[in-house]
Amino acid sequence: MDLAELSAGDLIPLIETREISCREVMESVLCKIESCESVVQAYILVRPRKVLIAEAEAVDKRRKKGDPIGPLAGLPIAIKDNICTKGIKTTCASRILEKFVPPYNATVVDRILDADGIIIGKTNLDEFAMGSSTENSAFRITRNPHNPDRVPGGTSGGSAAAIGAHETILAVGSDTGGSIRQPASFCGVVGVKPTYGRVSRYGLIAYGSSLDQIGALTKNVHDAALLLGVLAGRDAQDSTCLSEPVPDFLEAEKSIRRMRVGVPQEYFAEGLDPGVRACVENAIDVFRQGGHQIVPVSLPHTEYAVPAYYICACAEASSNLARYDGMKYGLRIGGKDLAETYIKTRAEGFGPEVKRRIILGTYALSAGYYDAYYLKAMKTRALIAGDFEAAFDKCEVLVHPVAPSPAFKVGEKIDDPLAMYLGDIYSVIANLVGFPAISVPCGKTSDGLPVGLQIGAKPMDELTMFHAAFWLEAALANNGSGGATRS
Amino acid sequence: MKITREEVQRVAALARLQFSPEEEEVLTGQLDKILQYVEKLNQLDTTGVEPRAHAVDVVNVFREDRVSPSPPLEELLANVPEQEGCFFRVPKIIEQ
């Protein structure tokens, strides 16, 4: 039995009964990394073997003594490299932070450590979380574990690929416009973005502050509910973090209830890959056959979501990335004076996609253009939110494809930024509106490429979202069309 | 044209960025295409719509005005590009 290929839900009972040790799990995962990493390239940094084994053994020792062990049970967790880890290099896949070592942990990292998770390494991403393929990393291209000619998706491509290739048991990512859900869909794994404000952003290096959320990438829905439960909850360090109590997301596995499943008509127009359509329509059929009511709904402002998103996100990014000026941390390239130092540092340090978005954002906010672009986008955002409120009157969950295509080829879209942006058409809405959404594998195309179904619920209603996700995962496994690792 | 090279230069200066002439050419073309696409938002009638900058309703958060310890200076200065004593050493900011 290859321990690295099991889920947290499978491993934890075996660890608790001492059939296996945390050390054995860590060894198995490190072995997998050794055999896969040269192709997959999921990691920017893997912590030293000696240290990881020692940390795993320390948990084993404590368990032997009878000490209480946290819910992450000494399992390895990969962290996307835009999340600060004290003493461990955090680069955002950018030259401007290539040598940056944070002096503090992100709140989610502290929570993982308190829960006895072991941080195995930092995963690759598109630079500063800007992109949809992980090709914008300054350091390496991550490959899809199902097909090395294909992208893993982005921007949490490293975390998704690491889960898909069994190079970790659990992983953390971030999602601003689909950056957890789309790579989860492309790599055939589960990816969940919580309600905006459920998880603290303290220590998440900011891209679009009103859109960013940290979430989980895992082998199945159970592990996602487990990990999200550890990450979520109020945090005094992040004033956008909600103070509402966090329910036990694992409870959603137990409830049995028939739901009204909303299907937005606009998401099934032309442009949807036939392989994706087939898998998603099959999943909807499975809901129907299981006694759930399928409710067609309309989201009339769908076509305005991508432009509204890119204006908002780029505007916020242009502000958030102003801090990279070479003065207090990160790369500094000296010029003849202050102005030249700023310019040279940023010109050298940022990659092309980051620069593109900063320029777009600065333009949208600049005098004379603010009303036409940024203000217009904010108003569009309000209308889009209105669509969702109306839809959630008619259903408990909304289901649709995560992306219009399965994983595309490496290099296929990188020279056409607009084509890359249009792939986000179904995913950005969850960030604009702030509702929780999960991608659950629902089959593969005839080329063997995974497809994910997005299940979204009302803000704060992760329990209903998880309930639908648990139900679907089990139903798909029963009728042989699923793709996740069973717990 | 939705955006010219001159505008790209102007905006680049605002953002403290600079591009080679070749990069500028490519970038202007890409931004033009993107802005033409984004133009679609003007089809939408948003009269009377309140702008929404936040995903969910947020209220300002306050805490007690209590001093708590800061991390040690050496930790905070560990990533400084150029250091002098306990200061960040930076290019001259104010011209005489």
Side-chain angles (χ1 to χ4, degrees):
Chain A
M1 169 173 63
D2 191 346
L3 297 180
E5 296 193 357
L6 299 181
S7 68
D10 285 332
L11 290 165
I12 292 173
L14 296 174
I15 292 173
E16 282 171 351
T17 55
R18 317 282 181 70
E19 274 175 70
I20 60 174
S21 65
C22 295
R23 188 211 162 107
E24 285 172 286
V25 175
M26 186 62 79
E27 294 269 18
S28 178
V29 170
L30 287 172
C31 203
K32 195 66 93 173
I33 291 175
E34 246 160 82
S35 62
C36 294
E37 246 310 81
S38 55
V39 173
V40 179
Q41 301 271 290
Y43 285 94
I44 290 180
L45 178 159
V46 179
R47 294 176 68 215
R49 164 179 272 273
K50 268 196 173 133
V51 173
L52 290 169
I53 298 294
E55 287 180 6
E57 284 179 329
V59 179
D60 286 331
K61 212 167 168 187
R62 281 171 44 215
R63 188 177 270 112
K64 214 168 170 185
K65 271 191 346 188
D67 289 351
I69 306 290
L72 298 181
L75 294 173
I77 302 204
I79 309 277
K80 185 177 182 179
D81 205 23
N82 61 349
I83 294 172
C84 287
T85 40
K86 182 172 179 171
I88 302 172
K89 211 166 46 124
T90 299
T91 67
C92 289
S94 178
R95 299 232 168 271
I96 222 167
L97 289 178
E98 191 167 4
K99 303 199 174 110
F100 178 68
V101 179
Y104 69 102
N105 276 331
T107 296
V108 293
V109 171
D110 277 337
R111 290 192 179 169
I112 285 166
L113 296 174
D114 286 343
D116 287 314
I118 298 177
I119 299 190
I120 188 166
K122 308 301 291 296
T123 55
N124 201 20
L125 63 154
D126 286 288
E127 187 179 359
F128 282 107
M130 299 183 192
S132 308
S133 65
T134 307
E135 291 169 292
N136 290 309
S137 167
F139 305 132
R140 66 194 58 212
I141 292 181
T142 299
R143 304 278 167 166
N144 192 309
H146 293 263
N147 183 328
D149 294 331
R150 305 259 169 174
V151 299
T155 60
S156 307
S159 284
I163 291 283
H166 302 292
E167 292 184 283
T168 184
I169 302 300
L170 297 162
V172 171
S174 72
D175 189 312
T176 304
S179 287
I180 285 176
R181 295 161 283 140
Q182 183 252 43
S185 173
F186 282 13
C187 291
V189 305
V190 171
V192 63
K193 179 199 84 72
T195 305
Y196 181 86
R198 269 295 191 199
V199 176
S200 171
R201 291 182 301 111
Y202 181 74
L204 169 66
I205 294 178
Y207 156 25
S209 309
S210 79
L211 303 157
D212 292 341
Q213 272 295 279
I214 289 175
L217 291 110
T218 57
K219 300 187 188 190
N220 59 27
V221 177
H222 172 97
D223 286 7
L226 170 71
L227 181 51
L228 196 65
V230 169
L231 303 177
R234 74 175 301 171
D235 180 21
Q237 311 259 51
D238 173 4
S239 45
T240 63
C241 192
L242 305 168
S243 52
E244 271 77 343
V246 182
D248 181 358
F249 299 136
L250 290 165
E251 286 295 308
E253 190 163 22
K254 301 177 193 155
S255 65
I256 305 167
R257 133 171 157 259
R258 294 287 165 256
M259 289 173 298
R260 291 171 301 162
V261 175
V263 177
Q265 301 303 281
E266 292 84 359
Y267 286 43
F268 292 82
E270 16 165 317
L272 179 57
D273 175 277
V276 173
R277 183 188 290 268
C279 291
V280 168
E281 285 180 348
N282 177 61
I284 292 170
D285 220 36
V286 166
F287 273 119
R288 185 183 290 113
Q289 285 166 31
H292 301 285
Q293 190 194 349
I294 306 300
V295 181
V297 297
S298 175
L299 299 174
H301 294 96
T302 294
E303 65 181 295
Y304 305 105
V306 167
Y309 167 78
Y310 273 98
I311 297 288
C312 293
C314 291
E316 293 183 14
S318 71
S319 179
N320 278 326
L321 269 67
R323 71 194 64 185
Y324 302 105
D325 59 10
M327 294 299 120
K328 297 195 284 293
Y329 48 80
L331 181 73
R332 179 193 290 189
I333 309 239
K336 64 181 191 306
D337 56 19
L338 183 66
E340 207 180 65
T341 303
Y342 285 154
I343 288 172
K344 281 188 148 171
T345 297
R346 291 162 66 81
E348 280 282 323
F350 287 141
E353 183 61 35
V354 169
K355 288 179 189 170
R356 201 163 18 246
R357 295 197 191 194
I358 290 175
I359 296 289
L360 193 55
T362 307
Y363 179 81
L365 290 171
S366 64
Y369 294 108
Y370 177 93
D371 283 5
Y373 291 107
Y374 186 69
L375 194 57
K376 189 77 183 179
M378 293 296 105
K379 292 183 175 191
T380 306
R381 191 173 183 173
L383 291 175
I384 289 171
D387 282 3
F388 276 79
E389 272 153 49
F392 279 122
D393 269 344
K394 306 198 177 116
C395 60
E396 273 84 58
V397 291
L398 220 47
V399 305
H400 55 79
V402 172
S405 76
F408 42 89
K409 296 205 173 99
V410 172
E412 186 177 326
K413 295 192 186 182
I414 197 69
D415 293 324
D416 190 350
L418 186 57
M420 193 74 89
Y421 298 169
L422 290 171
D424 296 338
I425 182 157
Y426 304 139
S427 54
V428 295
I429 299 190
N431 306 85
L432 287 169
V433 178
F435 67 83
I438 188 168
S439 175
V440 177
C442 66
K444 291 188 176 167
T445 65
S446 52
D447 291 330
L449 297 172
V451 175
L453 180 80
Q454 176 166 310
I455 302 173
K458 277 206 292 257
M460 304 298 288
D461 199 8
E462 284 88 354
L463 277 178
T464 301
M465 174 196 71
F466 273 121
H467 173 60
F470 273 120
W471 189 92
L472 181 70
E473 183 184 60
L476 288 173
N478 284 338
N479 87 353
S481 44
T485 308
R486 294 298 303 126
S487 199
Chain B
M1 284 297 272
K2 291 248 44 120
I3 189 166
T4 62
R5 279 180 81 148
E6 290 66 42
E7 282 196 286
V8 171
Q9 285 163 5
R10 177 185 72 84
V11 173
L14 288 174
R16 303 292 186 265
L17 289 172
Q18 90 188 346
F19 301 96
S20 71
E22 300 77 42
E23 284 173 326
E24 211 172 75
E25 172 105 34
V26 173
L27 182 62
T28 304
Q30 290 170 339
L31 288 173
D32 194 62
K33 231 176 138 186
I34 293 167
L35 287 171
Q36 285 193 48
Y37 171 67
V38 165
E39 231 2 74
K40 173 192 276 280
L41 289 181
N42 286 328
Q43 294 166 10
L44 209 44
D45 182 5
T46 51
T47 356
V49 179
E50 278 302 299
R52 182 175 169 134
H54 299 283
V56 294
D57 278 329
V58 288
V59 289
N60 208 357
V61 176
F62 294 94
R63 64 172 175 84
E64 274 189 47
D65 186 9
R66 215 188 309 128
V67 176
S68 54
S70 293
L73 212 52
E74 322 79 63
E75 271 186 28
L76 296 177
L77 293 179
N79 289 287
V80 175
E82 280 178 58
Q83 189 175 345
E84 197 171 289
C86 64
F87 299 102
F88 300 98
R89 196 181 152 80
V90 300
K92 194 196 300 214
I93 294 170
I94 299 169
E95 294 300 324
Q96 290 297 84

Short mmCIF file of all heavy atoms in Angstrom, two decimals, chain A residues 130 206-209 310-324 346 350 354-366 374, chain B residues 11 14-17:
data_model
loop_
_atom_site.label_atom_id
_atom_site.label_comp_id
_atom_site.label_asym_id
_atom_site.label_seq_id
_atom_site.Cartn_x
_atom_site.Cartn_y
_atom_site.Cartn_z
N MET A 130 -1.21 35.90 -10.35
CA MET A 130 -1.84 36.48 -11.54
C MET A 130 -1.66 35.57 -12.73
O MET A 130 -0.56 35.48 -13.30
CB MET A 130 -1.22 37.84 -11.83
CG MET A 130 -1.42 38.82 -10.68
SD MET A 130 -0.75 40.42 -11.08
CE MET A 130 -0.81 41.18 -9.45
N ALA A 206 -0.89 39.98 -0.75
CA ALA A 206 -2.12 40.46 -1.37
C ALA A 206 -2.02 40.68 -2.88
O ALA A 206 -1.02 41.19 -3.38
CB ALA A 206 -2.54 41.77 -0.69
N TYR A 207 -3.09 40.31 -3.56
CA TYR A 207 -3.25 40.59 -5.00
C TYR A 207 -4.47 41.48 -5.13
O TYR A 207 -4.35 42.67 -5.35
CB TYR A 207 -3.33 39.27 -5.77
CG TYR A 207 -4.02 39.29 -7.12
CD1 TYR A 207 -4.11 40.43 -7.89
CD2 TYR A 207 -4.58 38.12 -7.63
CE1 TYR A 207 -4.75 40.42 -9.14
CE2 TYR A 207 -5.20 38.09 -8.88
CZ TYR A 207 -5.29 39.24 -9.63
OH TYR A 207 -5.91 39.21 -10.85
N GLY A 208 -5.69 40.95 -4.91
CA GLY A 208 -6.90 41.75 -4.95
C GLY A 208 -7.62 41.59 -3.63
O GLY A 208 -8.28 40.57 -3.40
N SER A 209 -7.48 42.57 -2.76
CA SER A 209 -7.88 42.37 -1.37
C SER A 209 -9.37 42.12 -1.15
O SER A 209 -9.73 41.52 -0.14
CB SER A 209 -7.45 43.57 -0.52
OG SER A 209 -6.09 43.85 -0.73
N TYR A 310 -11.66 41.79 -14.07
CA TYR A 310 -10.30 42.22 -14.40
C TYR A 310 -10.05 43.68 -14.07
O TYR A 310 -8.97 44.05 -13.64
CB TYR A 310 -9.92 41.84 -15.85
CG TYR A 310 -9.37 40.45 -15.88
CD1 TYR A 310 -10.17 39.36 -16.22
CD2 TYR A 310 -8.06 40.20 -15.45
CE1 TYR A 310 -9.66 38.07 -16.16
CE2 TYR A 310 -7.56 38.91 -15.38
CZ TYR A 310 -8.36 37.85 -15.73
OH TYR A 310 -7.86 36.57 -15.66
N ILE A 311 -11.09 44.51 -14.21
CA ILE A 311 -10.91 45.91 -13.79
C ILE A 311 -10.69 45.99 -12.28
O ILE A 311 -9.74 46.61 -11.80
CB ILE A 311 -12.12 46.77 -14.19
CG1 ILE A 311 -12.29 46.81 -15.71
CG2 ILE A 311 -12.01 48.18 -13.62
CD1 ILE A 311 -11.25 47.62 -16.43
N CYS A 312 -11.58 45.34 -11.51
CA CYS A 312 -11.45 45.37 -10.04
C CYS A 312 -10.11 44.80 -9.59
O CYS A 312 -9.41 45.41 -8.77
CB CYS A 312 -12.50 44.49 -9.36
SG CYS A 312 -14.15 45.08 -9.54
N ALA A 313 -9.81 43.59 -10.08
CA ALA A 313 -8.62 42.89 -9.61
C ALA A 313 -7.36 43.66 -9.97
O ALA A 313 -6.45 43.80 -9.14
CB ALA A 313 -8.57 41.48 -10.19
N CYS A 314 -7.29 44.16 -11.19
CA CYS A 314 -6.08 44.88 -11.61
C CYS A 314 -5.95 46.20 -10.87
O CYS A 314 -4.83 46.62 -10.51
CB CYS A 314 -6.08 45.10 -13.11
SG CYS A 314 -5.87 43.55 -14.03
N ALA A 315 -7.07 46.87 -10.63
CA ALA A 315 -7.02 48.13 -9.87
C ALA A 315 -6.48 47.85 -8.47
O ALA A 315 -5.57 48.55 -7.99
CB ALA A 315 -8.41 48.75 -9.79
N GLU A 316 -7.02 46.84 -7.82
CA GLU A 316 -6.56 46.51 -6.47
C GLU A 316 -5.10 46.06 -6.50
O GLU A 316 -4.32 46.41 -5.61
CB GLU A 316 -7.46 45.43 -5.85
CG GLU A 316 -8.88 45.96 -5.60
CD GLU A 316 -9.80 44.96 -4.92
OE1 GLU A 316 -9.29 43.94 -4.40
OE2 GLU A 316 -11.02 45.20 -4.90
N ALA A 317 -4.73 45.31 -7.53
CA ALA A 317 -3.34 44.84 -7.64
C ALA A 317 -2.38 46.01 -7.82
O ALA A 317 -1.28 46.01 -7.25
CB ALA A 317 -3.21 43.87 -8.81
N SER A 318 -2.77 47.00 -8.61
CA SER A 318 -1.85 48.12 -8.86
C SER A 318 -1.55 48.82 -7.55
O SER A 318 -0.43 49.28 -7.31
CB SER A 318 -2.44 49.10 -9.88
OG SER A 318 -3.52 49.83 -9.34
N SER A 319 -2.52 48.84 -6.66
CA SER A 319 -2.30 49.44 -5.35
C SER A 319 -1.49 48.51 -4.45
O SER A 319 -0.51 48.92 -3.84
CB SER A 319 -3.67 49.74 -4.74
OG SER A 319 -3.50 50.31 -3.47
N ASN A 320 -1.88 47.24 -4.40
CA ASN A 320 -1.19 46.29 -3.54
C ASN A 320 0.27 46.08 -3.91
O ASN A 320 1.10 45.79 -3.05
CB ASN A 320 -1.91 44.94 -3.54
CG ASN A 320 -3.09 44.92 -2.59
OD1 ASN A 320 -3.05 45.55 -1.53
ND2 ASN A 320 -4.14 44.21 -2.96
N LEU A 321 0.59 46.17 -5.20
CA LEU A 321 1.97 45.89 -5.60
C LEU A 321 2.85 47.13 -5.62
O LEU A 321 4.03 47.07 -5.98
CB LEU A 321 1.99 45.16 -6.95
CG LEU A 321 1.95 43.63 -6.82
CD1 LEU A 321 0.62 43.14 -6.27
CD2 LEU A 321 2.25 42.95 -8.13
N ALA A 322 2.28 48.28 -5.19
CA ALA A 322 3.09 49.49 -5.10
C ALA A 322 4.17 49.34 -4.02
O ALA A 322 5.20 50.01 -4.05
CB ALA A 322 2.21 50.69 -4.80
N ARG A 323 3.93 48.44 -3.07
CA ARG A 323 4.89 48.28 -1.96
C ARG A 323 6.21 47.68 -2.40
O ARG A 323 7.21 47.78 -1.68
CB ARG A 323 4.28 47.43 -0.85
CG ARG A 323 4.14 45.96 -1.20
CD ARG A 323 3.23 45.22 -0.22
NE ARG A 323 1.87 45.72 -0.29
CZ ARG A 323 0.88 45.33 0.50
NH1 ARG A 323 1.11 44.41 1.42
NH2 ARG A 323 -0.32 45.85 0.38
N TYR A 324 6.24 47.06 -3.59
CA TYR A 324 7.50 46.42 -4.02
C TYR A 324 8.35 47.48 -4.72
O TYR A 324 8.28 47.68 -5.94
CB TYR A 324 7.20 45.20 -4.93
CG TYR A 324 6.34 44.22 -4.18
CD1 TYR A 324 4.98 44.09 -4.46
CD2 TYR A 324 6.87 43.48 -3.12
CE1 TYR A 324 4.18 43.24 -3.73
CE2 TYR A 324 6.07 42.63 -2.38
CZ TYR A 324 4.73 42.51 -2.68
OH TYR A 324 3.93 41.68 -1.95
N ARG A 346 11.50 47.54 -10.14
CA ARG A 346 10.21 46.98 -10.54
C ARG A 346 10.26 46.44 -11.97
O ARG A 346 9.68 45.39 -12.26
CB ARG A 346 9.12 48.04 -10.39
CG ARG A 346 8.85 48.35 -8.91
CD ARG A 346 8.11 49.67 -8.71
NE ARG A 346 6.75 49.65 -9.23
CZ ARG A 346 5.71 49.13 -8.60
NH1 ARG A 346 5.86 48.56 -7.42
NH2 ARG A 346 4.51 49.19 -9.13
N PHE A 350 9.53 42.34 -11.75
CA PHE A 350 8.21 41.84 -12.11
C PHE A 350 8.22 41.19 -13.48
O PHE A 350 8.88 41.68 -14.40
CB PHE A 350 7.20 42.98 -12.18
CG PHE A 350 6.78 43.56 -10.85
CD1 PHE A 350 6.59 44.93 -10.73
CD2 PHE A 350 6.54 42.76 -9.74
CE1 PHE A 350 6.18 45.50 -9.53
CE2 PHE A 350 6.14 43.32 -8.52
CZ PHE A 350 5.96 44.69 -8.43
N VAL A 354 2.38 40.41 -14.58
CA VAL A 354 2.23 41.31 -13.44
C VAL A 354 2.26 42.76 -13.91
O VAL A 354 1.43 43.57 -13.51
CB VAL A 354 3.33 41.03 -12.39
CG1 VAL A 354 3.37 42.10 -11.32
CG2 VAL A 354 3.11 39.67 -11.75
N LYS A 355 3.21 43.07 -14.77
CA LYS A 355 3.30 44.44 -15.28
C LYS A 355 2.06 44.82 -16.05
O LYS A 355 1.54 45.94 -15.91
CB LYS A 355 4.52 44.59 -16.18
CG LYS A 355 5.84 44.56 -15.45
CD LYS A 355 6.96 44.69 -16.45
CE LYS A 355 8.29 44.44 -15.81
NZ LYS A 355 9.36 44.32 -16.81
N ARG A 356 1.55 43.90 -16.86
CA ARG A 356 0.35 44.16 -17.65
C ARG A 356 -0.80 44.54 -16.73
O ARG A 356 -1.53 45.50 -16.98
CB ARG A 356 0.00 42.90 -18.46
CG ARG A 356 -0.87 43.14 -19.65
CD ARG A 356 -0.87 42.00 -20.67
NE ARG A 356 -0.39 40.71 -20.24
CZ ARG A 356 0.71 40.12 -20.71
NH1 ARG A 356 1.46 40.72 -21.62
NH2 ARG A 356 1.07 38.93 -20.28
N ARG A 357 -0.97 43.76 -15.66
CA ARG A 357 -2.09 44.01 -14.76
C ARG A 357 -1.90 45.30 -13.96
O ARG A 357 -2.88 46.00 -13.67
CB ARG A 357 -2.31 42.82 -13.82
CG ARG A 357 -2.73 41.60 -14.61
CD ARG A 357 -3.34 40.52 -13.78
NE ARG A 357 -3.46 39.29 -14.57
CZ ARG A 357 -4.19 38.25 -14.23
NH1 ARG A 357 -4.89 38.28 -13.11
NH2 ARG A 357 -4.24 37.19 -15.00
N ILE A 358 -0.67 45.59 -13.59
CA ILE A 358 -0.43 46.86 -12.88
C ILE A 358 -0.78 48.04 -13.80
O ILE A 358 -1.43 49.00 -13.37
CB ILE A 358 1.03 46.95 -12.39
CG1 ILE A 358 1.29 45.95 -11.26
CG2 ILE A 358 1.36 48.37 -11.92
CD1 ILE A 358 2.75 45.89 -10.81
N ILE A 359 -0.37 47.96 -15.06
CA ILE A 359 -0.66 49.05 -16.00
C ILE A 359 -2.17 49.18 -16.21
O ILE A 359 -2.73 50.28 -16.16
CB ILE A 359 0.05 48.82 -17.35
CG1 ILE A 359 1.57 48.84 -17.18
CG2 ILE A 359 -0.39 49.86 -18.39
CD1 ILE A 359 2.17 50.19 -16.89
N LEU A 360 -2.84 48.07 -16.42
CA LEU A 360 -4.29 48.08 -16.62
C LEU A 360 -4.98 48.70 -15.40
O LEU A 360 -5.86 49.56 -15.52
CB LEU A 360 -4.76 46.65 -16.84
CG LEU A 360 -6.17 46.42 -17.38
CD1 LEU A 360 -6.38 47.16 -18.67
CD2 LEU A 360 -6.41 44.93 -17.59
N GLY A 361 -4.57 48.28 -14.23
CA GLY A 361 -5.17 48.77 -12.99
C GLY A 361 -4.90 50.24 -12.75
O GLY A 361 -5.80 51.00 -12.35
N THR A 362 -3.68 50.66 -13.01
CA THR A 362 -3.32 52.07 -12.82
C THR A 362 -4.13 52.94 -13.79
O THR A 362 -4.65 53.99 -13.42
CB THR A 362 -1.81 52.28 -13.08
OG1 THR A 362 -1.07 51.37 -12.27
CG2 THR A 362 -1.37 53.70 -12.75
N TYR A 363 -4.26 52.47 -15.01
CA TYR A 363 -5.04 53.18 -16.03
C TYR A 363 -6.49 53.32 -15.59
O TYR A 363 -7.07 54.41 -15.66
CB TYR A 363 -4.93 52.38 -17.34
CG TYR A 363 -5.68 52.95 -18.51
CD1 TYR A 363 -5.14 53.99 -19.27
CD2 TYR A 363 -6.91 52.42 -18.90
CE1 TYR A 363 -5.81 54.49 -20.38
CE2 TYR A 363 -7.59 52.93 -20.00
CZ TYR A 363 -7.03 53.96 -20.73
OH TYR A 363 -7.71 54.45 -21.83
N ALA A 364 -7.06 52.19 -15.10
CA ALA A 364 -8.48 52.19 -14.72
C ALA A 364 -8.76 53.11 -13.54
O ALA A 364 -9.91 53.52 -13.33
CB ALA A 364 -8.92 50.77 -14.39
N LEU A 365 -7.75 53.40 -12.74
CA LEU A 365 -7.93 54.24 -11.57
C LEU A 365 -7.49 55.68 -11.82
O LEU A 365 -7.71 56.54 -10.97
CB LEU A 365 -7.12 53.69 -10.39
CG LEU A 365 -7.63 52.39 -9.77
CD1 LEU A 365 -6.61 51.87 -8.76
CD2 LEU A 365 -8.98 52.59 -9.10
N SER A 366 -6.86 55.93 -12.96
CA SER A 366 -6.25 57.24 -13.14
C SER A 366 -7.30 58.30 -13.45
O SER A 366 -8.42 58.01 -13.89
CB SER A 366 -5.18 57.20 -14.24
OG SER A 366 -5.75 56.88 -15.48
N TYR A 374 -13.23 51.88 -13.26
CA TYR A 374 -13.32 51.30 -11.92
C TYR A 374 -14.71 51.44 -11.33
O TYR A 374 -15.30 50.47 -10.84
CB TYR A 374 -12.28 51.93 -10.99
CG TYR A 374 -12.23 51.26 -9.64
CD1 TYR A 374 -11.75 49.96 -9.49
CD2 TYR A 374 -12.69 51.91 -8.49
CE1 TYR A 374 -11.73 49.32 -8.27
CE2 TYR A 374 -12.67 51.28 -7.26
CZ TYR A 374 -12.18 49.99 -7.16
OH TYR A 374 -12.16 49.38 -5.93
N VAL B 11 1.11 56.05 -18.06
CA VAL B 11 0.65 55.17 -16.99
C VAL B 11 1.83 54.42 -16.38
O VAL B 11 1.90 54.22 -15.16
CB VAL B 11 -0.43 54.19 -17.51
CG1 VAL B 11 -0.80 53.17 -16.45
CG2 VAL B 11 -1.66 54.96 -17.94
N LEU B 14 3.45 56.52 -13.85
CA LEU B 14 2.65 56.55 -12.61
C LEU B 14 2.90 55.30 -11.78
O LEU B 14 2.91 55.36 -10.54
CB LEU B 14 1.15 56.62 -12.94
CG LEU B 14 0.58 57.92 -13.50
CD1 LEU B 14 -0.88 57.71 -13.89
CD2 LEU B 14 0.70 59.04 -12.48
N ALA B 15 3.08 54.18 -12.45
CA ALA B 15 3.24 52.90 -11.76
C ALA B 15 4.70 52.56 -11.49
O ALA B 15 5.01 51.46 -11.03
CB ALA B 15 2.60 51.78 -12.58
N ARG B 16 5.57 53.53 -11.77
CA ARG B 16 7.01 53.31 -11.56
C ARG B 16 7.48 52.06 -12.29
O ARG B 16 8.15 51.18 -11.73
CB ARG B 16 7.38 53.23 -10.07
CG ARG B 16 6.99 54.44 -9.26
CD ARG B 16 7.81 55.68 -9.66
NE ARG B 16 7.52 56.81 -8.78
CZ ARG B 16 6.63 57.77 -9.04
NH1 ARG B 16 5.94 57.75 -10.17
NH2 ARG B 16 6.44 58.75 -8.18
N LEU B 17 7.10 51.95 -13.56
CA LEU B 17 7.57 50.87 -14.42
C LEU B 17 8.16 51.48 -15.68
O LEU B 17 7.87 52.63 -16.01
CB LEU B 17 6.39 49.97 -14.82
CG LEU B 17 5.78 49.08 -13.74
CD1 LEU B 17 4.53 48.41 -14.25
CD2 LEU B 17 6.76 48.05 -13.24
#
